[in-house]
Amino acid sequence: MNLIVANESHFKYAQDICDTIAESAKIRGTGIAKRTPEYIQKKLSNGNAILALDGEKFAGFCYIEVWGHEKFVANSGLIVHPDYRGQGLAKKIKAKVFELSRKKFPDAKIFGITTGLAVMKINYELGYKPVTFSELTDDPEFWKGCQTCKNFDILTRTEQKMCLCTGMLYDPAHKKKPEEGKQMNGKAFTRLKSIKESLFLKKK
């Protein structure tokens, strides 16, 4: 498996990336914002994406978004092709894109929002901590990206204060990693998500 910083020569994978993201959202029933091939190609061309390739076959992907005049960066669009899931590849990709983010934007706070417990665990191990949305970027362009998510109405109803996603933040000014051997309380996050769903999801 080869994890590389993508470039324009990898444009041919853009459609596969979009299809894999869309299919994952459909299967999991979670709110993942849609991406277009053109949007993915932009990330591939500016050196802000990590691509996992098995020979010439697409295996995984994640990219960097920059917000608030480089005060914040987000590691977004993490996806692993179904053929390569369950092998720890997502963790490797996330670590690689985190490393790239720290190298290119050493003073930026790195954040993400997700409903996935697996991604939360990976973030926690990298030094992220759960935070309220008010501690994330207030750049309207970032939140505009949530418009294609099926849960966008929740974000709107709560005046951008809360959604089913959990916000997580890595602040380079506070570099303390989680204590050795200390695990993230997955049950607490699962319970929190359940409470959010009961509060915000419209009854059918």
Side-chain angles (χ1 to χ4, degrees), residues 16 21 33 60 81 88 90 94 98 104 106 125 132-133 141 145 159 188:
D16 284 342
I21 290 173
H81 190 278
K94 200 74 165 63
F98 180 80
K104 294 189 71 172
E125 291 172 3
T132 62
F133 282 6
E141 288 300 311
E159 297 180 339

Side-chain angles (χ1 to χ4, degrees), residues 18-34 79 85 115 148-150:
C18 291
D19 292 344
T20 306
I21 290 173
E23 191 62 27
S24 177
K26 192 183 302 181
I27 292 172
R28 289 165 51 193
T30 56
I32 300 178
K34 294 178 182 177
I79 194 68
R85 289 175 188 163
T115 58
T148 57
C149 173
K150 70 175 187 176

Side-chain angles (χ1 to χ4, degrees), residues 5 64 97-107 110:
V5 178
I64 300 169
V97 79
F98 180 80
E99 178 186 317
L100 182 63
S101 300
R102 295 285 294 121
K103 181 179 180 180
K104 294 189 71 172
F105 310 101
D107 298 322
I110 306 173

Side-chain angles (χ1 to χ4, degrees), residues 9 16 27-28 50 79 94 101 128 147 179 186 195 203:
S9 71
D16 284 342
I27 292 172
R28 289 165 51 193
I50 294 295
I79 194 68
K94 200 74 165 63
S101 300
Y128 288 66
Q147 289 179 354
E179 294 176 24
I195 292 171
K203 301 292 187 294

Side-chain angles (χ1 to χ4, degrees), residues 150 201-204:
K150 70 175 187 176
L201 290 183
K202 294 178 179 179
K203 301 292 187 294
K204 294 185 178 179

Side-chain angles (χ1 to χ4, degrees), residues 144-163:
K144 189 184 292 185
C146 295
Q147 289 179 354
T148 57
C149 173
K150 70 175 187 176
N151 298 318
F152 183 66
D153 70 298
I154 299 174
L155 193 66
T156 303
R157 279 186 276 140
T158 61
E159 297 180 339
Q160 207 172 288
K161 295 176 182 177
M162 191 180 296
C163 197

Side-chain angles (χ1 to χ4, degrees), residues 1-2 4 9-10 12-13 16 51-60 84:
M1 188 66 64
N2 195 15
I4 57 175
S9 71
H10 301 112
K12 61 183 179 181
Y13 297 106
D16 284 342
L51 190 63
L53 297 175
D54 180 9
E56 291 294 313
K57 186 178 180 182
F58 163 68
Y84 298 93

